[in-house]
Amino acid sequence: MRIIFFCFIFTLTSCNIDCDLLASHYRNEECLIIVDELSPATTTTMSIKGISIVDGKYTVSSENQRWWSTYRDQIERGDTIIKRKGELTFNIHKKDTILSYNWECEGQVYK
């Protein structure tokens, strides 16, 4: 039992994050929605339901996003979420303000 616990702790402390791989994954995602509803705040990821600004149809964001959930408290019904494919910027358009966030990994800002 002690050996298994040691291996688990060793694995956690020596785990490296491949920021470039994650950046590539996040660049391929897109979310262009006028927010109607967010997934419950009790989840660690977030999906967004609302009206697509591309085709005007009611839609659900295709990704359950851990990155986006960081900004859950700043998103309200009626806000427009803009995350364009090929970019690493997450934007929340409010009635009078635009909040823009660049993706960060291991202390480095990616754009």
Side-chain angles (χ1 to χ4, degrees), residues 27-69:
R27 272 192 187 96
N28 286 322
E29 296 173 353
E30 185 169 72
C31 184
L32 307 167
I33 294 178
I34 300 170
V35 177
D36 181 44
E37 183 182 342
L38 300 175
S39 56
T42 56
T43 62
T44 58
T45 60
M46 182 175 71
S47 62
I48 304 167
K49 295 179 183 177
I51 305 297
S52 166
I53 62 173
V54 175
D55 61 14
K57 295 180 181 177
Y58 196 82
T59 188
V60 177
S61 63
S62 60
E63 302 294 328
N64 285 321
Q65 273 300 335
R66 185 162 291 200
W67 170 33
W68 304 351
S69 69

